[in-house]
Amino acid sequence: MKNNESTYHIPVLLKESVDGMNIQPDGIYVDLTFGGGGHSREILSRLGPEGKLLGFDQDEDAEKNIVDDKRFIFVRSNFRFLTNLLRYHQIEEVDAVLADLGVSSHHFDDSERGFSFRFEGALDMRMNKRSGITAADVVNTYSEEQLANLFYLYGELKNSRKLANILIRERGKGRIETIGQFLEIIKPLFGREREKKELAKVFQALRIEVNQEMEALKEMLLAVTEVLKPGGRLVVITYHSLEDRMVKNMMKTGNIEGKQEQDFFGNLLTPYRLINNKVIVPGSEEIERNPRSRSAKLRIAEKKTK
């Protein structure tokens, strides 16, 4: 494999997450967020000649990092289609699934992708450049109520209604196409001392909406429950409270909403057993090497055998 991983993306909680997969030499594994291939390369190093790894990624840029290994299959697709694509490759069950839900360093550092407010460029934010609406489409076509709701729900912004109102007003003067235009409109709403944090929330909200991240995550988590073998592991690294809550609910209760259902004896009905009751976070050395790992949380669960 080309050694692009260090520039494309530094894998977060690498040892802890792959250890959590409980790799067996002849097992079948899935890396749902291939990216630069860092986690996949570590998984492959622990597999024997009969083992198999599938790496999912919807971004064409990730294909440049494909592993040259007969045990590896690259799947160019959103992980929400996990079940059907496994069947396409004649796989019914897998031994463990890993998902690192963070946006890669590559996406933030590529000015043409529009993920960061640090660069000028098109207001895009699509993970899959071949399809879907752009962030500019959202900003220019959504109603005021839709904009307010997404900024509040996905960005947890207290001034979401004011933000939506000013965007509606300004887009009436002409379509908002670039990051520069967008920032010129919204920056006055935030104080200097919290400007970067608030802008990050705005961009996060748009990115989640553009890529349907919450819907895709829900579909993926439900699919994993079906394709994991008994005793198989689900390993997920999250970065913000919305996705972390969804993952935690699924692992603890077996459903996205966190609704607790009990049997006649009061035992919680869930397909999973938690491996780490306390969430795993990066140590100070990893955070120093890779500041983007600061908000990472690792959760691991095992599918019950009965």
Side-chain angles (χ1 to χ4, degrees), residues 20-24 28-29 93-98 224-225 227-235 251 271-275 300-306:
M21 295 177 76
N22 192 30
I23 303 292
Q24 303 302 310
I28 301 174
Y29 300 92
E93 292 184 316
V94 300
D95 294 281
V97 172
L98 168 67
V224 169
T225 305
V227 302
L228 265 187
K229 292 179 181 178
R233 297 284 182 89
L234 170 59
V235 180
M251 290 184 173
Y272 291 110
R273 177 180 69 86
L274 296 180
I275 297 300
I300 307 166
E302 182 176 279
K303 189 172 180 180
K304 292 179 179 177
T305 54
K306 292 184 179 179

Side-chain angles (χ1 to χ4, degrees), residues 26-56:
D26 60 348
I28 301 174
Y29 300 92
V30 182
D31 179 355
L32 287 173
T33 46
F34 176 73
H39 288 104
S40 283
R41 188 160 54 239
E42 179 62 25
I43 294 167
L44 286 166
S45 74
R46 304 186 189 195
L47 287 180
E50 300 304 315
K52 185 176 292 186
L53 171 65
L54 291 89
F56 280 64

Side-chain angles (χ1 to χ4, degrees), residues 51-76:
K52 185 176 292 186
L53 171 65
L54 291 89
F56 280 64
D57 208 297
Q58 61 182 323
D59 185 1
E60 65 182 17
D61 289 351
E63 292 190 62
K64 301 171 185 174
N65 306 316
I66 286 178
V67 181
D68 184 16
D69 190 309
K70 65 180 182 180
R71 301 168 299 172
F72 178 77
I73 299 170
F74 181 77
V75 183
R76 171 94 188 270

Side-chain angles (χ1 to χ4, degrees), residues 40-145:
S40 283
R41 188 160 54 239
E42 179 62 25
I43 294 167
L44 286 166
S45 74
R46 304 186 189 195
L47 287 180
E50 300 304 315
K52 185 176 292 186
L53 171 65
L54 291 89
F56 280 64
D57 208 297
Q58 61 182 323
D59 185 1
E60 65 182 17
D61 289 351
E63 292 190 62
K64 301 171 185 174
N65 306 316
I66 286 178
V67 181
D68 184 16
D69 190 309
K70 65 180 182 180
R71 301 168 299 172
F72 178 77
I73 299 170
F74 181 77
V75 183
R76 171 94 188 270
S77 178
N78 191 303
F79 58 41
R80 70 195 306 173
F81 306 117
L82 172 64
T83 303
N84 286 340
L85 287 164
L86 285 180
R87 286 176 181 162
Y88 175 79
H89 289 284
Q90 300 180 318
I91 296 170
E92 293 295 328
E93 292 184 316
V94 300
D95 294 281
V97 172
L98 168 67
D100 177 356
L101 301 179
V103 179
S104 73
S105 310
H106 166 76
H107 288 124
F108 280 123
D109 294 338
D110 186 347
S111 60
E112 294 181 2
R113 303 299 292 271
F115 283 93
S116 174
F117 53 83
R118 295 181 293 128
F119 306 109
E120 175 58 305
L123 199 58
D124 194 318
M125 300 194 194
R126 289 174 298 169
M127 292 288 187
N128 183 351
K129 293 187 288 186
R130 298 184 299 181
S131 63
I133 62 172
T134 66
D137 293 329
V138 172
V139 168
N140 288 285
T141 64
Y142 276 32
S143 69
E144 186 171 341
E145 183 178 5

Side-chain angles (χ1 to χ4, degrees), residues 218-229:
K218 177 180 179 179
E219 291 176 26
M220 178 270 281
L221 289 172
L222 293 171
V224 169
T225 305
E226 297 300 318
V227 302
L228 265 187
K229 292 179 181 178

Side-chain angles (χ1 to χ4, degrees), residues 262-277:
Q262 299 177 334
D263 64 17
F264 179 80
F265 301 100
N267 299 310
L268 192 63
L269 291 171
T270 171
Y272 291 110
R273 177 180 69 86
L274 296 180
I275 297 300
N276 59 319
N277 288 304

